[in-house]
Every structure is written in structure tokens, then in C-alpha cells.
Amino acid sequence: MYSNIFDSHAHYTDKAFDDDRKIMLDSLTESGICGVINCGADIESSVFSVELAKEYPFIYAACGVHPEEVDDLPEKYIQTLRKMLQNQKCVAVGEIGLDYYWRKDNKELQKKVFEEQLCLAKELNLPVIIHDREAHEDTLEILKKHKPKGVLHCFSGSAETAKEVLKLGMYIGLGGALTFKNARKAVEVAEILPLDRLLLETDCPYMAPVPMRGKRNFSGYIPYVAEKVAEIKGIDPQTVLDVTAENTRTLFGI
Ligand code: NI
């Protein structure tokens, strides 16, 4: 059995956990999970993340507005986030970024909200958790401008893009997608990625790794991702879990 499993990106606030959230979270430490960063996607889920973090010692919160949630934002959302992020268990601004897969018609608004939150993170000296889907070029350009500390979660770019991210001193998050049959790009990224820049994540309830693909994901499936990384790197899966847990603590100051 594996230990020291740190899930750097989860959404236990999602409605997929409404029926059994407490049972699920109460059992996590028994499955070897030592920590979870629970990410907000809008104001409501960010507030909920902070509540979970207050209740469970091993849960930490990230608060932020996801690019799919930028419409109809209250004018003072930055002030709301700033206040929320004062909480001791809030360790990052996230998840934030750009998503041109779902929406191409509001790119300017997505960029504006992304940059406002990067400025907030800088002001509060917090790392950021970045979502980038089919927006690699614009994301990189904005990251080069703001130079935040942080992670590109569920990284879907090429090995070349990964090298650019590494040059910025940022981390790369890999999850279930690495185990999928068509994961050629993610495998190439894992090959070139130094282990000290890797974080493991679920993005649960989504992205369950093979052989659980299609099921509801949870932090207990992270070892399948660690085993894939271990196979690619020719090392022991527990070493992957140990190093990535330490990386997560280092980045988020835990
Ligand atoms: Ni996410």
C-alpha cells in the first residue's frame, strides 16, 4: 500500500460528491492521502473550499474564478477573493486561466479576469493554479508578463511548451490523462520533466486514470498516475509519490 499521496488539485465541492462527501473525505487518510488542495472555480465553490479546509486538517483551499465562470462576475469579486484568501488554510489563487475549448467568443474577458487574479496573487504573495485548455500561446504570453509562482494543472501542452513553463520556474501538474491510451503528448512531457517540478493531481470528480477511466475520480486513484510516471522514469512509484508530495508542500508553503 502506498503512502504520502498528495492530491494537488481536487474538486470535492463538486455536486458529484453531494451524496457521500463526508464519508469520502473521512476515509481519505486511511487510503494513504496526506494532503489535498481543493480548488475553487467560482466564488461559491471557493467559499465551500475554505469551509472544507477549516473542517479537515489535510485539506487546503485555493480560491479563484475559472475561465468558464467569468460571465456575470460581481464587480467587487477581487475584494471578495482577497478577503477569503486571508484565511490561514488558503494556499493559492486558483483555479484561474484560459479555456478556448469551451469558449472562443469571450477571450478578452477571460484574459482580463485571469490577469486581475494574477495581480491579486502577486499582491498576497501566493502561488497560482493555472487552467490552460487550447490556449497555450496566450497563457504563456500572460505568464511571461506576470511571472507568478505556481503550477500548470492537467498540463495538455507539448514537451516544447513544457520547457517554456519550466524556464519560468513553474511546476507542471499531471493526472489521469497521462494514463489514457492517446496520451502521447503527456508521456513526452513526463519524459522531459525533472521530477522536482512535477505535481500529481486528480481534478476529481473528473479525469479518473486507467483502469478507472470513466468512473468518479478521487485522490485514492493517484497511485495509478504515480505508477505511470514511475514506469516512464524507471523509478519506484513510492518515490514518485514522496517527491511530488514534497514538491506540493514546497510550492504551497505547507
Ligand atoms: Ni480543476
Side-chain angles (χ1 to χ4, degrees), residues 98-114:
L98 302 174
D99 193 318
Y100 298 165
Y101 175 80
W102 289 108
R103 291 283 295 274
K104 289 187 181 68
D105 60 306
N106 65 349
K107 286 184 180 179
E108 288 315 308
L109 178 61
Q110 287 192 39
K111 286 190 212 173
K112 177 176 173 279
V113 173
F114 183 22

Side-chain angles (χ1 to χ4, degrees), residues 69-120:
E69 307 291 341
V70 295
D71 291 314
D72 310 318
L73 261 182
E75 210 176 298
K76 295 187 167 174
Y77 82 99
I78 287 288
Q79 275 120 297
T80 309
L81 285 175
R82 183 186 287 117
K83 207 171 162 203
M84 229 185 280
L85 288 159
Q86 305 300 328
N87 192 285
Q88 271 224 323
K89 294 290 296 288
C90 289
V91 294
V93 178
E95 58 179 295
I96 63 175
L98 302 174
D99 193 318
Y100 298 165
Y101 175 80
W102 289 108
R103 291 283 295 274
K104 289 187 181 68
D105 60 306
N106 65 349
K107 286 184 180 179
E108 288 315 308
L109 178 61
Q110 287 192 39
K111 286 190 212 173
K112 177 176 173 279
V113 173
F114 183 22
E115 293 205 64
E116 284 171 350
Q117 294 182 93
L118 285 169
C119 291
L120 178 65

